[in-house]
Structure formats: structure tokens, C-alpha cells
Amino acid sequence: MMVASLQLRYGVVFLLFFLILQACSAKAEVEQNDQLVPIPLPANIGSITVFEQHLNQVVVKHTASDSIEVLLKGLKQAKPSYIGDPEYSGTKYRVELAAPKKKLVLELNDLIATASTDVSAKVYLILPGEERARAWSLPSEWIQNLLHSEAEPVIQLTLDQVNDSVTLAANRAIDKTSLEEALKTYMMIYPPAGDAASVYRLNWTDPRRVVIGFPQLPEGSAAEFKLDGVLTQEGKPSQINSPLKGRLITIHQGLAWSGLQWVDPGGKRVREHAFQTAVSIMPASSSSHDSEIIIYNHDIPAYRLDLKSGHVEDILTKEPIDVSELAVNDNGIGFIFSYCDNKERLYMLHGWETVYRVETNGGQKKLIYTSDRPIYGMAASPDGKHVAVLTDSSGGLGPYADLRVIDADGKLVSEFKEAAYIGHSDGWYFIYPVRWTDNERIEVPIIGSSGEAFFRGKAAFHYKKGLQQKQGNETLSAADIAILKASIDGWDEMDLFRVLPRSEAAGERYVAITLAGSGSWLIDREEQQARKLGSGPVIAWTPKGHVVYWHTTEGMSADFISID
């Protein structure tokens, strides 16, 4: 009964408080706070407790005298601020400062992860005799001392693609010179647009927090940079925690968009198709002549796309397949498909343990195989008579995978231990590519370091006779590498992730590649330059000589899983 009463009381307080916030204009609050009114702190505070905004759940409680002393000192030094209309929407908390005879309750708005260029945090309070709430600003150091503390120097990045900004929140004071030098060294604009330094601004709210805004970013362009070499004021290197993969940070001008784009070698965009929730893209079949791919999404649909025509269809609206309540991998996917060449039959890996044979266009569906270990990948033979699956070798989701070949009825035809390898830590559930080169031969990936030097390639197996050869993936010539080094500052050969097989229509003049952490690029051997295509991987060349790639302006990544 007491808990319910407290929740009701706090609910009324929050409702009243935010109605007051909405009614106050920023101008009126600035005028009111011209008077340097301090926060009225009770004497002899013995504890400071932080609660979630709408719940009575404790986030953290401070009872140590030294911690309380530091936090109170910060509150005494808090500067009068204003209440915006609307106010920045950060993370809200309730802070209770308890003394023997009195308790003070402050509302806290943690703005560190927002695009706010004015303050890092605010506390609000209605003073006795006043009708409107007042606001005080506090620095990042205070809010970090209140909520958490990291042992080592860390800079947390928050990307705001709507406001075209990147917020850096550190747990140590940032050395401004090292940050400015990193931006000067690594900042690039694509397409190139004059001096890169002219498109961004640094807005410091305090020594630990800065918002990098891009108000002058040209329409349709992207800014890319790294924060290598950023130090604390004490000269220590900082770990960079970014929501993006790799060290490269990218901000795109314009509306949020994610999907596939087609361009001709000259850079003219000829088609695009949005896939806002895509996470993985794979070939629809093993055929080297097949122009169709499948786009897998967070929200269940699987789209089959013809890269030549641009035609798209949702596979699950045509096939009698139940995909509810499936076990999913680390990308949130619970199934994959593989078609035979004539598209009259497909195989479905369902829940990463079972394989179904499906006669297409609403035909028969049959469970043919259940694996005793998680299945990493699957591919149907061109004639549809066999299926190759890669199963976890160790039982602990390790990097090795066994190759198993089953027939259309689910009979195990052959098995080859530790046939494939993709270097990663145990416990991660990645999808491995598999491909049939004809009705008898299968290719599986060998990527990473396995007691030897780093290798990126594939192993070829005969489905009955076993291993036939290993070979490296296609790579770049010395001349191509020289073009990349001249075009991209700080380019490393280890960044090369994929070289797209040659296009007959595009000829030998162009090479499309994927660089880890940097997206897709087109090398023009005649012009001796590399041009940025998109933020994600290259997918394919079309018969007309158009290159297809993944692009996003909102930080949504999609992997292309295939064997070249």
C-alpha cells in the first residue's frame, strides 16, 4: 500500500513538473535565472540516491562521504540555465539528497548522449514561493561521478544522423589540440568538396564533452574521419567506443535512408531500392549466372531481388513457411534460403538446426534434416538434388565448421571435418557462405589466422572425394594498390575485404572493392583514382556494367555473405 502511494505521489509530481516545463519558454527562464540563485541544499546530507525517472528502482546510491562531498561541490557550483521549449530529450532521473531532517528531490536530465551544444546535464527544481521550475546546468564530469566511473580513459560516441552531428563524451578531460589534429589529419568529404575543415564545427560544453556539428556539409555528401591519437589532458590515449564497425566514423547529409544503389562506372545513379531493416544479403542460388539476391531483415521479411530488372518479391508471402518463434543468430536472423537453378525448388535452413525442402509457388514443404549442432550456412546444388551445410565443429560456436552433404530426402551423403574456417571468438553465431560451382564441387570459406599467417580464401571440395584445393581470393595488383594509397589517406592493405569479380560490360578499366570499415569504392585505372561509392559492401556487377552496392545515411549496416 505504501509503495502504491509513493508511486501515485511521484506520478503527480512528474506530471505537474513536465506540464510546467512545457509551459515555460526559454526566454522567460533566462530572464528568471539572471539572478544567481543557488540550489538550496540541506545540511548534513548522508546519502544521494538516483532513481529511474518513472520507477522507484535505484540506479545508484552514494553513501561514502568523499563521493557525496564531490557531488555536493558540483551542485553548489551549478550554473543557472534555462528550460527550452521544447526541452532537449535526454535520459531522465530522479535524484534524492537525504539529510537527517530533510530530503531534497531534484529532476535530472542527462544530455551527454544528445546533440545539445549548450550543456551536458541539467537539474530542475521548483523553489518555495515560485510557480515555475528553475534549471541549473552541470558538466559531464559531475554526471559521470553521479552515475558511473570508468577505470581507463574512454570516449563514447553518439551519432545523430538527423542533426548531422557526432557527440564525444569522455570520462577524462579531452586534450583539445589532439582532437583538432586528428580531425585535421583524417577528415575527408565524399564527394570531395574543398577544404574539409570548413564543413564542421566543435561545440564544447565542458572539457569532457564536445559536439562535432556539420552545418556546412554539402547536399548528398558524407564526412568520414577517425579519432586516432586523441589524448586526455594528462597525455594518455583514449579508447574510442563507436556504434559503427571499425574506426571510421561517418556522417551523411540528408534524410535517413538505407538500401541498394546502382551506378554506372561514370558515377551516374541509375536505380536505387530502400531496405530500411536489412541486416544480411546473400546470393539466391549457387549459379554464377544468377542475378538474384536475397535480403534478410530484422523484421522477418526476406526479399528476393533481381539485380538486372530491380524486381522485388517477398518470399514468405509465396511459400507456406512458418517463421514464428525461431531461434535467431547474432544478427537477429532465424532462417536462410537457397534456390536451385530453375527456381522450382528451394531449401530452407530453419532455426539453424533443421533443413526443409520446399517446392516453390506454394508447393510441398518437407522437413528433411535435423542437425545435432548449429548450422552456420547452407547452399543447394544447381540441380537441386543435394544440399551442402556447414555445421559447428566444436559444439561451442567456434571458428571451424564441418561440411556435410545431404540429398533431397535428407540422407547424409558425405561429411568432411573442419572443412571451413572464419576466425572469430567462440560463442558468436555468424553465417558462413557456401557455394556449389557445379553439381559435384563445393566451395567453403577459409578466412583468418589458424596457426598460420592471415589467409583470405576458400577451399574446394568434391562432394564425395573430399578436399581438392585451397586458393586465395582475388586481390589487387600493385598498380591498383598505388591508386588506393594515393586516393585514401592512411589506407592499409589489411582493409581490403573483397574484390568484385570483373565485369565484361565494364571492362578492365574499373575494379569495384569493399574496404573494411570504409564501404565500397570504384578504382578507375585510366583516371588513376579511386572513387567512393557507398557506405557498405559492393554486391555485384550487372550485365549492363552497373555496380550495385549497399549505402546508408543512418548508420544501418548490412553484410554481404558470399564466396567470390
Side-chain angles (χ1 to χ4, degrees), residues 446 448-455 470:
I446 303 178
S449 302
S450 175
E452 304 174 359
F454 187 88
F455 181 79
K470 294 181 181 180

Side-chain angles (χ1 to χ4, degrees), residues 336-354:
I336 59 174
F337 299 108
S338 184
Y339 288 82
C340 61
D341 271 4
N342 61 17
K343 300 297 192 300
E344 293 180 359
R345 172 179 289 178
L346 69 84
Y347 290 87
M348 177 185 186
L349 173 54
H350 188 276
W352 307 105
E353 291 181 348
T354 56

Side-chain angles (χ1 to χ4, degrees), residues 138 222 225 229 250 284 307 309 312 320 390 409 434 440 446-448 454 557:
L138 290 156
F225 61 97
T250 306
L307 293 172
S309 66
V312 179
L390 288 175
D409 294 318
V434 193
E440 295 182 339
I446 303 178
I447 302 172
F454 187 88
S557 62

Side-chain angles (χ1 to χ4, degrees), residues 459-507:
F461 285 80
H462 186 281
Y463 85 108
K464 289 184 177 179
K465 300 176 182 178
L467 178 65
Q468 294 189 318
Q469 66 174 347
K470 294 181 181 180
Q471 66 182 79
N473 288 346
E474 187 168 356
T475 187
L476 295 174
S477 67
D480 293 335
I481 291 174
I483 294 173
L484 281 177
K485 288 184 175 179
S487 302
I488 308 173
D489 290 339
W491 181 74
D492 189 319
E493 292 184 34
M494 287 298 293
D495 292 339
L496 182 64
F497 189 78
R498 182 180 185 227
V499 177
L500 200 64
R502 300 289 188 267
S503 163
E504 292 182 8

Side-chain angles (χ1 to χ4, degrees), residues 181-197:
E181 186 63 29
L183 294 175
K184 179 181 178 182
T185 302
Y186 297 110
M187 180 72 69
M188 298 188 74
I189 308 299
Y190 298 103
D195 182 12

Side-chain angles (χ1 to χ4, degrees), residues 180-220:
E180 292 167 355
E181 186 63 29
L183 294 175
K184 179 181 178 182
T185 302
Y186 297 110
M187 180 72 69
M188 298 188 74
I189 308 299
Y190 298 103
D195 182 12
S198 66
V199 304
Y200 67 90
R201 299 286 184 273
L202 297 180
N203 303 289
W204 293 89
T205 58
D206 58 67
R208 296 189 178 200
R209 183 178 180 274
V210 59
V211 179
I212 308 174
F214 294 84
Q216 305 300 323
L217 197 60
E219 183 178 356

Side-chain angles (χ1 to χ4, degrees), residues 135-178:
W136 291 264
S137 67
L138 290 156
S140 300
E141 183 175 1
W142 186 87
I143 192 78
Q144 290 167 349
N145 287 335
L146 177 72
L147 296 177
H148 56 77
S149 178
E150 298 283 352
E152 298 298 326
V154 174
I155 297 177
Q156 182 66 48
L157 304 187
T158 303
L159 276 64
D160 189 332
Q161 297 286 359
V162 175
N163 293 300
D164 294 340
S165 67
V166 180
T167 300
L168 279 62
N171 63 347
R172 305 285 192 279
I174 301 172
D175 176 62
K176 293 185 178 182
T177 302
S178 67

